[in-house]
Amino acid sequence: MNPPLLKIDNLSVSFSVPGGTVNAVRDVNLEIGRGEILGLVGETGSGKTTVGKAVVRLLEPTSGAIAIDGVDITHLSRRSMRPYRRQIQMVFQDPYSSLNPRMSVEQLIAHPLAIHGIGGRSERVKLVREIVEKVGLSKAVLGRYPGEMSGGQRQRVGLARALVLSPALLVADEPVSALDVSVQAGILNLLVDLQQELGFSCLFITHDLGVAEHLCDRVAVMYLGEIVEIGRREEVLVHGEHPYTKSLLEAVPIPDPTIQRGRERATLPGDPPDPLSPPVGCALSPRCPLADLRCEQEHPSLMAMRSGQTTSEALLGGDDHMVRCHRIQEAGLLVGS
Ligand SMILES: Nc1ncnc2c1ncn2[C@@H]1O[C@H](COP(=O)(O)OP(=O)(O)O)[C@@H](O)[C@H]1O
Ligand SMILES: [Mg+2]
């Protein structure tokens, strides 16, 4: 069998801060297949961006490994990393701060081609024009500067700049969160269309479950640096089992105000714990309605749901739905319980 396009093994990333160490990412395992969109969801501070930055090698992992196409890129030198840099591209939340305001759209999109030494001048002009059209911008914007465009247009430029290199993997970190709700759907639909046309895989980072629902094949939920639940989109976003996933799902606004009011009570009390002193046992235990003594004392591991336990699994027959929860394990829903 071919290796997955991206394989993350036991990734941990820590930061030294005044007062101690923040373990921003703790022992994360993830795989993304070719052409697959994996959503990484969770509240602010859960470690999503840190995972994304480690994958594009903007951050050095404290431990663990990242492999592309079966090749461990975790410790490659600058030079050996070069072909992989082209393969892994990132788009950021705020296209304004990630685009040089002094460069025209044409220069911005041509720049990565020049850096990677792709094509001659005329070939680059052609590639830039092709990708500009693919992201739904008119040729008229080529001479414009970031300050002269709307947020939605700028994010299209950000996408064009990443995709002009034909990457195998796109890491998209909250790409629509800074945009007006009215333009978010346009960018998300564009991303889905581009993925289908170009076939890249995508690590899609978002705090917004509605956004993940829109385009992800699989979803991983993070809490305090750990994955607490992972599975196919419906398994997690419809039949999510972890109490934290459930609280996130309950917090998604429902257009009907009567249902919305009924749901508000269900979200978890309190705030996420101080990352400098995380709970000993389950990270969620201080806030979890199901937590007992074991949850406070013993750290749970991520375990596969028994097949056929949820409607979605009965339908899909997958064993790729995993949950990190003692109480769900004790209820006999996890393999090994
Ligand atoms: N450069 C850094 N220095 C110190 N702490 C950091 C740094 N980057 C992130 N953190 C901390 O790591 C944790 C995870 O952050 P982040 O990955 O940005 O989460 P998310 O993207 O889910 O909001 C947070 O507690 C954050 O404060
Ligand atoms: Mg982030």
Side-chain angles (χ1 to χ4, degrees):
M1 233 173 69
N2 285 336
L5 179 74
L6 172 71
K7 191 165 192 292
I8 300 178
D9 277 313
N10 302 108
L11 178 72
S12 294
V13 183
S14 306
F15 298 107
S16 292
V17 295
T21 302
V22 172
N23 298 315
V25 172
R26 303 190 287 160
D27 223 11
V28 161
N29 291 286
L30 278 179
E31 289 186 5
I32 303 184
R34 252 155 271 266
E36 186 175 49
I37 303 183
L38 177 90
L40 197 55
V41 305
E43 288 165 295
T44 301
S46 54
K48 307 180 298 296
T49 293
T50 304
V51 171
K53 285 185 171 171
V55 168
V56 298
R57 290 214 35 197
L58 283 173
L59 275 177
E60 231 9 74
T62 308
S63 59
I66 293 160
I68 293 289
D69 247 338
V71 178
D72 185 341
I73 62 160
T74 328
H75 304 291
L76 287 186
S77 67
R78 248 187 124 74
R79 168 180 266 194
S80 335
M81 185 63 202
R82 194 169 288 169
Y84 297 99
R85 286 229 182 271
R86 181 184 170 182
Q87 293 298 317
I88 316 168
Q89 291 297 312
M90 189 159 185
V91 289
F92 299 91
Q93 170 167 353
D94 179 3
Y96 198 61
S97 62
S98 59
L99 298 177
N100 184 338
R102 291 177 210 284
M103 287 168 88
S104 69
V105 168
E106 178 145 35
Q107 290 170 329
L108 281 165
I109 303 174
H111 191 61
L113 293 171
I115 288 191
H116 288 271
I118 297 163
R121 230 196 86 75
S122 60
E123 168 79 357
R124 284 178 202 159
V125 169
K126 184 171 143 271
L127 287 171
V128 170
R129 277 160 204 249
E130 277 171 12
I131 198 71
V132 159
E133 193 187 325
K134 283 200 172 90
V135 299
L137 292 170
S138 78
K139 273 195 277 218
V141 304
L142 285 169
R144 288 204 202 139
Y145 290 81
E148 301 169 332
M149 289 183 292
S150 70
Q153 286 177 320
R154 283 199 288 261
Q155 198 53 291
R156 285 173 197 261
V157 173
L159 273 171
R161 194 178 56 156
L163 297 176
V164 74
L165 292 168
S166 308
L169 177 68
L170 181 71
V171 176
D173 190 357
E174 307 267 12
V176 299
S177 303
L179 301 177
D180 225 65
V181 176
S182 60
V183 297
Q184 287 190 359
I187 300 286
L188 293 175
N189 290 334
L190 172 68
L191 198 55
V192 171
D193 292 346
L194 288 169
Q195 191 284 321
Q196 273 167 11
E197 184 181 348
L198 305 173
F200 54 84
S201 307
C202 182
L203 175 62
F204 189 93
I205 296 172
T206 178
H207 69 281
D208 185 335
L209 270 65
V211 166
E213 217 279 321
H214 199 98
L215 79 171
C216 296
D217 300 304
R218 285 189 304 130
V219 174
V221 181
M222 285 188 80
Y223 186 77
L224 209 68
E226 288 182 314
I227 292 178
V228 296
E229 181 155 12
I230 183 167
R232 291 178 228 202
R233 173 178 49 192
E234 312 85 86
E235 287 169 340
V236 175
L237 297 183
V238 182
H239 306 282
E241 291 288 344
H242 196 282
Y244 180 64
T245 311
K246 287 186 168 173
S247 80
L248 287 180
L249 291 171
E250 278 151 6
V252 173
I254 304 283
D256 183 330
T258 338
I259 303 178
Q260 176 56 26
R261 235 173 283 127
R263 278 182 153 203
E264 267 159 15
R265 278 175 296 116
T267 55
L268 297 174
D271 300 314
D274 177 1
L276 282 173
S277 49
V280 188
C282 173
L284 192 68
S285 59
R287 299 171 81 189
C288 180
L290 304 181
D292 62 9
L293 197 61
R294 182 182 180 209
C295 304
E296 284 168 27
Q297 294 177 341
E298 192 185 316
H299 185 249
S301 38
L302 197 59
M303 296 168 91
M305 292 288 296
R306 276 186 199 284
S307 55
Q309 287 299 323
T310 64
T311 324
S312 61
E313 268 163 347
L315 286 173
L316 298 167
D319 60 354
D320 50 0
H321 183 186
M322 301 183 85
V323 179
R324 186 190 295 281
C325 176
H326 289 312
R327 304 312 308 275
I328 292 171
Q329 186 232 331
E330 286 158 8
L333 296 178
L334 302 179
V335 172
S337 52

